[in-house]
Amino acid sequence: MRAYLAGPEVFLPNAREILDRKIALARSYGFTPVSPGDLVVPETETRRERGLAISAINEKLMSSADLIIANLTPFRGIAADVGTAFELGFMCARGCPAFAFSNCTENHFERVSGLYNGDVRLGPDGRHRGPDGMALENFDMADNLMLDGGIAARDGIIITRQVAANQLFLDLTAFEECLRIAAGKLLKQATSAECAAH
């Protein structure tokens, strides 16, 4: 099975090293890894054209994959990398199995509350609100309910683990646990289906 490995690791200064470690781990669990870092971007005249070319290549890579394993570790803020969120939605819309991990155990509500320095109150409508009046999601989920919900609807799982701040995008322990669970669920099913077909 081809596993699309989504995440913000492409922005790391040692991106190739981390992506190669993820690829090797995915192979060790029986998956054929598909990584956004694998793309070869054609020469373009403008930066916008280059961005559009990368987007098109990533969509082509996702369309070739059977499942997604997404890194939802909060990136540059309180939530998952927006590109990774798009990719997770894209794969869910295709009906593919979805799995994810995060190197942060604080849930979405806790992280957003921190954005308001804890100044969150229960409004008359029963919803938690910040001082700006905006409601907070409070569903004990790793990230926005659509990300958690999309994974749950496809019988996937989100593995969370707390790591040191300087290891947020380097520690692959939660990723490996995610691989192990995905392999146990999907590769066993694929083998059973092949046996049944013969």
Side-chain angles (χ1 to χ4, degrees):
M1 295 188 79
R2 290 172 59 83
Y4 186 80
L5 309 180
E9 292 88 350
V10 293
F11 297 108
L12 290 168
N14 59 338
R16 188 70 265 162
E17 175 196 339
I18 299 303
L19 291 170
D20 286 346
R21 283 175 54 202
K22 288 181 75 177
I23 287 167
L25 279 169
R27 284 194 180 117
S28 75
Y29 281 86
F31 293 109
T32 300
V34 180
S35 172
D38 294 340
L39 53 85
V40 176
V41 184
E43 290 299 319
T44 61
E45 290 188 13
T46 67
R47 290 191 303 272
R48 177 175 168 77
E49 287 173 348
R50 184 170 179 81
L52 292 174
I54 293 170
S55 173
I57 292 167
N58 282 342
E59 285 201 19
K60 186 174 180 180
L61 288 173
M62 285 189 288
S63 294
S64 77
D66 303 301
L67 71 142
I68 185 169
I69 299 176
N71 181 352
L72 300 184
T73 302
F75 181 67
R76 294 178 177 159
I78 57 164
D81 165 51
V82 67
T84 301
F86 172 88
E87 291 170 338
L88 179 58
F90 185 99
M91 294 295 283
C92 284
R94 289 185 57 226
C96 297
F99 299 85
F101 68 97
S102 174
N103 282 333
C104 173
T105 54
E106 268 192 323
N107 67 30
H108 189 256
F109 177 77
E110 292 167 332
R111 296 196 307 272
V112 178
S113 295
L115 182 69
Y116 291 120
N117 296 314
D119 186 12
V120 175
R121 297 181 176 88
L122 201 58
D125 59 356
R127 298 183 72 184
H128 290 88
R129 294 187 179 275
D132 56 7
M134 294 289 193
L136 282 70
E137 287 186 11
N138 188 11
F139 301 111
D140 193 25
M141 292 186 172
D143 212 293
N144 177 278
L145 65 86
M146 294 305 294
L147 303 187
D148 282 63
I151 292 165
R154 285 149 190 85
D155 198 31
I157 192 167
I158 302 175
I159 301 297
T160 61
R161 176 181 168 82
Q162 195 63 48
V163 304
N166 66 351
Q167 293 295 306
L168 270 183
F169 300 100
L170 305 177
D171 189 307
L172 298 179
T173 308
F175 171 65
E176 185 168 6
E177 186 177 349
C178 206
L179 282 170
R180 181 180 55 76
I181 292 169
K185 286 186 174 203
L186 302 176
L187 297 179
K188 190 184 300 179
Q189 290 172 3
T191 303
S192 298
E194 281 180 23
C195 290
H198 287 88

